[in-house]
Amino acid sequence: MLFYRLGFWIGLITFQWMVARITDNSPMMLGLLAFFNLIPMLVVTPIGGVVADRVGRRQILVVSQFLMSAAAGLLTLLVVLGRAESVSVLFAFAFVFGLVMSFNAPANQAAVANSVPQTELRSAISLNSIGLNLARIGGPALAGPVIVAWGAGASFGMWALVSVTAAVGISTITLAPYEPEADSLGVVRRIAQGFEHVRARPPALLALTLVAVVTVFGQSYSAVVAVIAFDTLGLGDRAFTLLVTATGIGAMAGALVAGAGRLPSSLPRLAMWAVGFAVVLAGLGISRSLWTALVFISLVGGLNFFLMTSLNVQLQHLTAESKRGRIMSLFMLAWGGLYPIGGLAVGFVAERISVPTTLIVFAVVLTVLSLLIGWAARSSARSA
């Protein structure tokens, strides 16, 4: 599944580059891009989870990749014809891609558990995250030179080609069969079952809360990486590509550590790791040289994916197979669905008080909320 993730990062980097160029590096506009790209995950992902529990997960992945390729191909044509030089067009396409991902993401997360025995689940989730971050490295590495040499149209065209390749590759994958629940419930009631399943398991509810907090106040920094490169550091496209690549390298290392299972990953300990994430996020905020920024942004990426991989493992182990798609849709809602809220917030605040100060403020909020979640997790464990 590496190719479909590669296409996602090629597209995202190209979107960010175009919006930054058109709006003169506006943090607010980049925040809005993140908002339109991922807001469908906040609204539609629960429905995607229901579909992933009722329809073949491989079929969902194949169809979504073909749809992604078709949309990327149309966007390529518009760029070549000069009809995509406005943020409204880019925001509209970002929304469409986010809508497709709302069905793709829950099916992908659930398919991971259907591809291996339960005893190998931690390793499988880690490998899944590593694949994501290889794409995070490879996407900018491919998109950056292509944009510079031939423009955004060529980069979007590459996205379309990669998505088709991904659809063909996924169609050959064999997943373990699973039996959907035999009921006649409607979509709304099935979504409600997912929420009830989590609420009945306090560790799962607290894990999802920590995912949401880290996403909104931690991961949202990625919406303004272009501003860090162009304005805060006063550098150009190469610095932007290096920062995104460094994030991917750090994230891949974090996923590897989480998959090895050698660090304590109880929920209270993970809350303390989130505090560590906040500390390095503040370090990124005060960085004024490229090399310092590269160090801190790689640490941010590593801690982010260590946390998300570890929390994903916890949720997968707490989930019944018949509800896995819906629970993973809640995980993706808390991770990807709330990201546009964080991205919009970081862009809005940064427009008024600067990106560095915003990152420090968000780091303080992340610290306080993570400590509260850790306290609640310890209290829940004592009373169990």
Side-chain angles (χ1 to χ4, degrees):
M1 299 184 189
L2 175 62
F3 273 96
Y4 98 80
R5 296 187 178 106
L6 188 66
F8 171 82
W9 281 102
I10 290 170
L12 180 60
I13 294 303
T14 311
F15 272 125
Q16 289 183 341
W17 182 85
M18 286 192 71
V19 170
R21 183 176 56 81
I22 291 171
T23 65
D24 194 25
N25 304 323
S26 167
M28 186 64 184
M29 289 297 104
L30 287 165
L32 279 171
L33 172 66
F35 178 83
F36 281 108
N37 184 213
L38 291 174
I39 194 62
M41 296 194 76
L42 182 62
V43 179
V44 183
T45 296
I47 300 173
V50 170
V51 174
D53 282 337
R54 308 298 293 184
V55 181
R57 290 161 185 168
R58 184 178 62 181
Q59 290 93 314
I60 296 172
L61 295 174
V62 171
V63 170
S64 64
Q65 285 307 301
F66 275 122
L67 290 174
M68 196 86 73
S69 178
L74 177 58
L75 183 53
T76 300
L77 180 61
L78 291 176
V79 172
V80 170
L81 295 176
R83 300 296 180 86
E85 292 293 314
S86 74
V87 292
S88 59
V89 171
L90 296 173
F91 287 170
F93 272 93
F95 181 86
V96 169
F97 289 125
L99 190 62
V100 175
M101 287 300 295
S102 298
F103 289 91
N104 181 289
N108 173 54
Q109 293 293 328
V112 172
N114 297 144
S115 64
V116 297
Q118 284 293 304
T119 54
E120 301 297 327
L121 188 56
R122 174 178 287 275
S123 296
I125 293 172
S126 175
L127 287 173
N128 195 44
S129 294
I130 291 167
L132 173 62
N133 288 294
L134 283 172
R136 183 192 287 253
I137 297 167
L142 287 171
V146 169
I147 291 171
V148 171
W150 297 293
S155 187
F156 283 130
M158 183 167 56
W159 186 8
L161 180 61
V162 167
S163 295
V164 168
T165 304
V168 174
I170 292 169
S171 68
T172 66
I173 295 174
T174 301
L175 300 177
Y178 68 97
E179 288 295 328
E181 288 180 329
D183 60 52
S184 57
L185 299 176
V187 172
V188 174
R189 181 58 190 145
R190 289 194 182 113
I191 292 173
Q193 276 189 338
F195 283 101
E196 291 164 4
H197 193 65
V198 168
R199 193 170 57 201
R201 294 160 171 78
L205 183 58
L206 286 171
L208 282 172
T209 303
L210 185 57
V211 171
V213 166
V214 171
T215 297
V216 173
F217 297 102
Q219 185 175 307
S220 55
Y221 81 93
S222 60
V224 291
V225 171
V227 182
I228 294 173
F230 300 145
D231 287 354
T232 305
L233 301 179
L235 301 172
D237 292 342
R238 183 170 175 271
F240 173 53
T241 302
L242 285 173
L243 287 171
V244 175
T245 303
T247 307
I249 292 171
M252 187 166 59
L256 273 170
V257 172
R262 297 187 180 183
L263 292 177
S265 58
S266 66
L267 194 53
R269 292 293 184 92
L270 288 176
M272 294 308 299
W273 280 104
V275 173
F277 181 13
V279 172
V280 296
L281 181 63
L284 178 61
I286 64 175
S287 296
R288 292 297 181 272
S289 73
L290 177 60
W291 294 111
T292 305
L294 287 172
V295 169
F296 277 112
I297 207 167
S298 63
L299 290 172
V300 166
L303 285 168
N304 183 32
F305 268 80
F306 169 76
L307 284 164
M308 294 306 173
T309 302
S310 298
L311 290 165
N312 189 329
V313 170
Q314 289 205 356
L315 284 168
Q316 294 271 21
H317 280 303
L318 290 166
T319 300
E321 178 59 45
S322 61
K323 296 179 177 64
R324 191 177 301 280
R326 278 164 284 183
I327 304 308
M328 287 299 99
S329 76
L330 295 180
F331 173 77
M332 294 308 301
L333 186 153
W335 188 5
L338 291 181
Y339 173 78
I341 304 299
L344 191 61
V346 79
F348 180 84
V349 176
E351 194 83 28
R352 286 152 180 79
I353 65 172
S354 82
V355 167
T357 306
T358 299
L359 295 183
I360 294 169
V361 170
F362 274 43
V364 172
V365 176
L366 176 57
T367 297
V368 173
L369 294 179
S370 298
L371 289 173
L372 289 173
I373 292 169
W375 174 80
R378 283 189 292 272
S379 298
S380 176
R382 282 196 297 266
S383 62

